């Protein structure tokens, strides 16, 4: 297939592009490179050295003989350019990663909230609008988040997108209907993914757009089979308080002798997936599209759940680190359970990679190799969910702040 990977320069987009190219697909990355500009804004860099997208694709061609094409387009702002590109290229499938992906970044300030809403919602709607306008019957696969469900404890497994309900009619009969599982987003970022869901429902119903929405858990790991082929193909590795995902952050903290920082009591249960499984799930979704006129196909793209404090203690045992419990910048329940169904991917043949010491050690080896690139001042998570929370946060977990002499 000819596949457009929107946001293909990002943490999941890049290894997905390599994986699909390795499968023989004609891959086109469409990206505005905004994630690189955000690094500049935050004064931080990927732990792993990242070459330009042009150099990365050149190395891929050198190593494999396969070409990945790059197109610089801002989906949220350049609607006419996007529409013209889609009309000219007419991809068979579109993988949509082109959204600001960090919950903490989306809560940093009013400006960051506005940016996240404008970028994410406009990008999704511009894409759907353009597909309909030019009559493009491509399968759209979108990377969403488990966070649309929220993390409340209800004592039942979260289904894959839809909840069967019974509604009592005026005559007293019960009518069965599938509705979207009630959303409970915990950040502006998660809220935009919730809005994406509604846009998908409308365009599938109104215009028969074929859509698969992947509600993904937290991604851990850094390398895939393809990124290991050459040092310059390495995936990005975020460790800062805004973009670093929780398990990866624990692993780098342990690797450099930094306190393993748990926020609150660590009772938050989260869903996880290894980066290799993430790209494999996207391939499986692409190979199993819904039919034209079907409702949106929704998968829970996760492989296991863990409580945050349990992960911290596990990393501490492996690496000999120290766990530090700090004030929580998020407005969330101190404890929650999380039971999630992921039957569809398992039925399609996914054999999940689970947390094992060998894989954790591999990530730590990467962290140690590039530890010289770490800016320790960027590690603390200090983007507060509310103004009341902000003054309570710990900006110096290592206790290295200079103390004034009285």
């Amino acid at each position: 297939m000819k596949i457009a990977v929107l946001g293909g320069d990002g943490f999941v987009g890049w290894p997905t592009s390599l994986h699909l190219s390795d499968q023989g697909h004609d891959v086109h990355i469409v990206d505005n490179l905004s994630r690189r500009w955000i690094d500049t804004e935050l004064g931080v860099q990927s732990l792993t050295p990242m070459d330009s997208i042009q150099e990365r694709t050149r190395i891929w061609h050198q190593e494999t003989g396969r070409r990945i094409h790059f197109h610089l387009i801002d989906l949220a702002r350049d609607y006419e350019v996007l529409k013209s590109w889609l009309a000219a290229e007419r991809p068979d499938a579109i993988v949509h990663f082109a959204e600001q992906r960090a919950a903490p970044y989306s809560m940093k300030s009013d400006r960051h909230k506005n940016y996240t809403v404008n970028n994410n919602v406009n990008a999704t709607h511009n894409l759907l609008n353009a597909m309909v306008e030019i009559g493009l019957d491509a399968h759209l696969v979108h990377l969403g988040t488990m966070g649309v469900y929220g993390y409340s404890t209800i004592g039942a497994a979260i289904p894959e997108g839809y909840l069967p309900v019974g509604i009592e009619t005026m005559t007293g009969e019960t009518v069965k209907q599938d509705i979207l599982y009630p959303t409970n987003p915990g950040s502006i970022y998660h809220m935009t993914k919730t809005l994406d869901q509604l846009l998908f429902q409308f365009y599938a119903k109104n215009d028969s757009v074929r859509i698969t929405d992947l509600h993904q858990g937290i991604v851990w790991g850094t390398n895939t089979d393809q990124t290991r082929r050459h040092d310059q193909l390495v995936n990005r590795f975020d460790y800062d308080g805004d973009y670093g995902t929780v398990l990866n952050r624990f692993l780098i903290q342990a690797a450099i002798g930094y306190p393993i920082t748990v926020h609150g009591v660590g009772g938050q249960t989260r869903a996880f997936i290894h980066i290799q499984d993430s790209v494999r799930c996207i391939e499986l979704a692409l190979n199993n599209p819904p039919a034209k006129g079907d409702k949106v196909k929704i998968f829970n793209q996760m492989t296991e759940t863990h409580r945050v404090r349990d992960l911290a203690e596990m990393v501490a045992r492996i690496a000999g680190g120290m766990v530090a419990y700090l004030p929580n910048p998020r407005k969330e329940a101190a404890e929650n359970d999380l039971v999630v169904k992921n039957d569809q991917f398992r039925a399609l043949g996914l054999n999940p990679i689970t947390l094992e010491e060998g894989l954790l050690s591999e990530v730590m080896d990467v962290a140690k190799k590039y530890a010289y690139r770490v800016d320790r001042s960027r590690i603390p998570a200090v983007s507060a969910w509310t103004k009341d929370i902000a003054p309570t946060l710990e900006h110096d977990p290592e206790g290295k702040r200079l103390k004034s002499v009285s």
Side-chain angles (χ1 to χ4, degrees), residues 123-354:
T124 297
H125 186 256
N126 282 350
L127 173 62
L128 292 163
N129 199 12
M131 290 173 68
V132 171
E133 185 65 20
I134 65 172
L136 178 62
D137 180 27
H139 175 205
L140 172 59
V141 175
H142 171 255
L143 193 68
T145 171
M146 287 291 303
V148 299
Y149 300 127
Y151 297 106
S152 59
T153 301
I154 61 169
I158 295 174
E160 302 204 72
Y162 297 100
L163 182 67
V165 298
I167 303 171
E168 189 173 337
T169 67
M170 300 296 289
T171 60
E173 297 175 304
T174 299
V175 177
K176 293 184 178 180
Q177 185 177 357
D178 285 348
I179 63 170
L180 277 177
Y181 190 88
T183 58
N184 186 20
S187 72
I188 290 293
Y189 157 74
H190 293 108
M191 187 268 294
T192 62
K193 297 289 191 175
T194 299
L195 296 175
D196 285 342
Q197 279 198 124
L198 296 177
L199 288 171
F200 295 144
Q201 294 292 318
F202 175 81
Y203 276 92
K205 175 188 70 174
N206 194 67
D207 300 288
S208 297
V209 179
R210 296 183 294 128
I211 302 169
T212 298
D213 198 9
L214 307 174
H215 291 168
Q216 179 161 265
I218 296 169
V219 181
W220 67 281
T222 184
N223 275 314
T224 63
D225 293 341
Q226 289 74 35
T227 64
R228 291 188 185 94
R229 293 189 183 180
H230 193 284
D231 283 347
Q232 286 175 269
L233 296 176
V234 67
N235 199 19
R236 72 175 298 129
F237 190 127
D238 298 306
Y239 65 88
D240 63 285
D242 286 317
Y243 275 88
T245 58
V246 61
L247 181 53
N248 277 2
R249 276 171 51 79
F250 287 170
L251 291 165
I252 190 171
Q253 287 170 344
I256 66 171
Y258 193 97
I260 299 169
T261 53
V262 174
H263 296 100
V265 298
Q268 311 93 334
T269 303
R270 298 287 191 257
F272 291 86
I273 185 169
H274 188 272
I275 185 70
Q276 183 72 61
D277 277 343
S278 184
V279 300
R280 172 70 174 136
C281 285
I282 290 158
E283 178 197 357
L284 289 170
L286 285 166
N287 291 337
N288 294 274
K292 195 173 180 65
D294 283 357
K295 68 181 182 181
V296 177
K297 201 172 193 178
I298 300 177
F299 291 84
N300 289 337
Q301 187 164 305
M302 51 71 65
T303 55
E304 55 191 325
T305 61
H306 295 278
R307 207 172 292 273
V308 170
R309 62 172 171 256
D310 295 339
L311 290 177
E313 296 293 345
M314 178 176 63
V315 172
R317 284 196 305 273
I318 294 171
M322 178 189 72
V323 179
Y325 288 85
L326 305 179
N328 193 348
R330 302 186 183 217
K331 188 174 182 178
E332 62 182 350
E335 303 265 353
N336 76 282
D337 295 319
L338 187 65
V339 182
V340 184
K341 290 186 176 181
N342 64 345
D343 303 334
Q344 294 183 90
F345 273 133
R346 286 181 174 274
L348 293 175
L350 179 68
N351 184 22
I353 296 169
T354 54

